[in-house]
Amino acid sequence: MKNLLLLTLIVFSFFGLFAQEPQFANFSPTIFPDRVMLTISGNPATSRAVSWRTVLENKVSVGEIAPVNASPQQEQKKLVVNGTVAPWEEGSTSSMGHKVIFDNLKPNTKYAYRVGDGKNWSEWFQFETSSDKTEPFSFIYHGDVQNDIKSLGSRAIRQAYSHFPEADFMLFVGDLVSRSNEEYWREFFYAGSWIYGMMPSIATPGNHEYDKPENQPRTFSKHWKQIYTFPTNGPAEKFHQRTYYFDYQGVRFISVDSPAIGESSEDGAIIMNWLDQTLASNPTQWSVVFTHYPVYSCSQGRDNEKYRDAMKAILEKFGVDLVLQGHDHTYCRGQNLPNAGTNAKNNPVYVVSVSGPKMYGLNTSFWSDRVASNTQLYQHISFSGSVLNYQSFTVAGDLYDEFQIVKNKKGENRFIESKKIGQIKQRTEIPSGAREKYNEEELKKYQQKFQ
Ligand SMILES: [Fe+2]
């Protein structure tokens, strides 16, 4: 008996010695849905799309939805909707990707939904459809999340949600992940977890959503359409869910797939032409264009004059109110006007922001009125009648930038920078690793400009 006890102890300590501390939660799929992602796929007043994953063997997709009931008996008035499946093929992990679209919903209504296979279910998630009229609302805007998403990108997503849980959706301007593979997406899902099932996500592709195998043409992320369902009103089928628009309570939001413009001049012309038409036919008072590549560059050595001229011409022609961008891993905001900060007329306000920890240095061909480097941020933007209110926060939850755009009856904009901003010191240190991008002369210019 004594010997048996000793043996048991030895066996357990042996396994104890070799057992690895988990660095990460278990990311293998199970029979139960996980990675639940809610998106706006069509009319935001009447529809929502949901994706999730399970083990590969699970080939049934069902969604149940009902107006929210504070009693736990959600099932009473539920609607059952069948979805679709497609295997998630990626390296060592194989799983089943599921999707369902909830249609014919009522505007301005809180719904509860769950997804599964009819037997194995997710928890009940809740969301609210938008109004079909012009009404005040707000949303969250995230720059590139991209790298170290579990370690440091997560705090931007979580802090933004905790700060503004009433926001109607969160909008990502590309480079959500540095590589579109299982390793990166598992971190992205870890970072947002159940938040993604509650607050809809909107996204435009960045260059990192494209794969570029060596000596081969660039291909678009095969995971994008498995995870997200965005409107299919782009210029042609191949642009669907990447270049699209939706109208949300008096604001037209337009996703422009800028890496596609950079890749092919033919596709670029098609997208630009579509953007022109989509702005020309805008029935709403406001317009927001969200796109990955900045029209005006913010970081050292990344200016693209040809792209800027082409985009600027269209955005200014229609007086787009706000252009939300990423790619440059810095923060900058401005209108490139000689008297910026006093009279914006109908020039768009351009913003570049960054949520994740990958950081570049600022450029010295300075066009913007507010900048930051080496700083993780998130933005909260609200619309109320003739007023757009914009706020940018560091991941510490501190206000970093703030302005308003006030529209008059003729549709002309007045730009008002918040008085608080002058009292908040600009964060302009060159991040470690970015210093080698500057030669001596540029470093001098940088110091003169920012220090
Ligand atoms: Fe990026």
Side-chain angles (χ1 to χ4, degrees):
M1 187 63 191
K2 222 176 175 184
N3 282 350
L4 190 67
L5 258 173
L6 198 66
L7 186 70
T8 316
L9 265 174
I10 290 168
V11 167
F12 273 95
S13 12
F14 178 83
F15 281 109
L17 259 180
F18 287 87
Q20 277 202 338
E21 278 298 311
Q23 299 295 308
F24 223 61
N26 180 9
F27 278 86
S28 302
T30 69
I31 193 80
F32 296 102
D34 65 6
R35 300 188 180 181
V36 177
M37 179 66 78
L38 178 69
T39 52
I40 293 173
S41 56
N43 183 346
T46 57
S47 72
R48 286 288 182 277
V50 185
S51 70
W52 69 99
R53 73 158 194 175
T54 63
V55 282
L56 194 61
E57 295 71 34
N58 191 335
K59 295 187 176 71
V60 182
S61 281
V62 184
E64 291 187 343
I65 190 161
V68 170
N69 186 341
S71 115
Q73 277 78 50
Q74 295 286 355
E75 279 89 351
Q76 281 172 4
K77 283 186 185 165
K78 72 184 181 192
L79 199 77
V80 181
V81 183
N82 290 323
T84 54
V85 290
W88 174 285
E89 294 159 12
E90 185 57 60
S92 55
T93 312
S94 53
S95 56
M96 188 60 83
H98 301 255
K99 259 192 187 185
V100 71
I101 293 178
F102 296 118
D103 261 329
N104 303 316
L105 306 176
K106 284 193 194 118
N108 249 344
T109 305
K110 283 183 188 160
Y111 283 95
Y113 75 90
R114 66 177 182 174
V115 293
D117 60 4
K119 232 167 39 193
N120 307 291
W121 294 104
S122 70
E123 64 273 43
W124 287 94
F125 291 93
Q126 297 181 185
F127 69 84
E128 187 170 359
T129 51
S130 80
S131 167
D132 51 2
K133 299 180 183 70
T134 297
E135 270 180 37
F137 73 97
S138 70
F139 69 98
I140 290 164
Y141 149 42
H142 280 296
D144 303 24
V145 186
Q146 196 165 338
N147 296 88
D148 292 318
I149 304 170
K150 180 200 171 199
S151 173
L152 286 160
S154 53
R155 62 179 179 163
I157 292 167
R158 294 170 188 181
Q159 169 65 25
Y161 178 83
S162 311
H163 200 164
F164 298 105
E166 78 287 1
D168 285 19
F169 54 86
M170 53 188 145
L171 183 149
F172 295 89
V173 292
D175 287 6
L176 285 71
V177 288
S178 195
R179 294 198 63 189
S180 191
N181 62 25
E182 165 60 23
E183 281 67 33
Y184 279 91
W185 281 114
R186 76 169 57 144
E187 291 203 25
F188 191 81
F189 277 103
Y190 183 90
S193 182
W194 55 265
I195 296 171
Y196 298 143
M198 303 277 285
M199 184 183 280
S201 290
I202 296 294
T204 191
N207 50 309
H208 284 266
E209 270 74 42
Y210 285 83
D211 301 319
K212 177 79 182 78
E214 221 173 303
N215 302 324
Q216 282 174 52
R218 216 151 62 148
T219 54
F220 187 62
S221 155
K222 58 188 170 192
H223 303 129
W224 186 265
K225 286 185 187 174
Q226 286 194 312
I227 297 168
Y228 297 113
T229 313
F230 297 130
T232 52
N233 49 19
E237 205 187 329
K238 72 185 235 195
F239 304 104
H240 281 177
Q241 302 197 47
R242 299 185 237 171
T243 292
Y244 59 88
Y245 74 90
F246 62 98
D247 294 338
Y248 201 99
Q249 295 185 183
V251 183
R252 175 155 288 191
F253 287 88
I254 306 172
S255 163
V256 174
D257 178 2
S258 45
I261 296 175
E263 185 73 359
S264 141
S265 52
E266 213 173 284
D267 285 354
I270 295 169
I271 293 172
M272 296 275 193
N273 187 38
W274 172 89
L275 175 62
D276 192 288
Q277 287 168 18
T278 304
L279 286 165
S281 63
N282 180 10
T284 69
Q285 201 186 8
W286 296 97
S287 54
V288 174
V289 168
F290 57 107
T291 187
H292 186 63
Y293 290 157
V295 176
Y296 291 101
S297 168
C298 302
S299 61
Q300 190 64 3
R302 291 165 73 87
D303 197 27
N304 187 339
E305 210 178 318
K306 215 173 128 197
Y307 174 70
R308 176 172 66 240
D309 290 347
M311 279 293 276
K312 222 167 88 72
I314 303 173
L315 300 170
E316 287 179 11
K317 177 177 164 189
F318 295 100
V320 167
D321 302 292
L322 205 51
V323 183
L324 305 178
Q325 309 150 106
H327 191 58
D328 275 354
H329 297 265
T330 50
Y331 179 82
C332 54
R333 177 268 297 168
Q335 296 175 287
N336 199 31
L337 293 173
N339 57 347
T342 54
N343 182 9
K345 294 209 174 130
N346 279 2
N347 284 68
V349 178
Y350 296 96
V351 186
V352 169
S353 191
V354 58
S355 278
K358 185 181 181 184
M359 295 295 169
Y360 296 161
L362 293 159
N363 67 5
T364 49
S365 59
F366 199 63
W367 61 271
S368 50
D369 304 319
R370 183 78 177 157
V371 298
S373 53
N374 213 25
T375 308
Q376 289 182 255
L377 300 134
Y378 60 92
Q379 288 66 227
H380 181 244
I381 300 163
S382 62
F383 290 86
S384 181
S386 59
V387 180
L388 178 166
N389 197 67
Y390 172 103
Q391 292 179 303
S392 178
F393 297 87
T394 72
V395 282
D398 298 327
L399 185 72
Y400 189 74
D401 192 12
E402 186 175 45
F403 63 82
Q404 283 191 336
I405 298 173
V406 181
K407 215 176 254 303
N408 70 16
K409 282 190 181 138
K410 285 191 232 159
E412 294 164 344
N413 286 352
R414 189 156 59 91
F415 177 91
I416 308 164
E417 189 178 87
S418 164
K419 289 205 173 73
K420 290 179 210 159
I421 294 314
Q423 285 140 39
I424 304 168
K425 197 174 177 302
Q426 293 215 108
R427 300 171 57 97
T428 58
E429 66 176 349
I430 300 175
S432 58
R435 192 163 273 268
E436 66 271 15
K437 289 222 170 180
Y438 300 84
N439 59 33
E440 236 170 81
E441 197 190 320
E442 282 160 345
L443 262 180
K444 228 168 149 189
K445 255 207 238 169
Y446 194 98
Q447 274 151 4
Q448 277 167 2
K449 192 85 215 175
F450 300 125
Q451 265 109 44

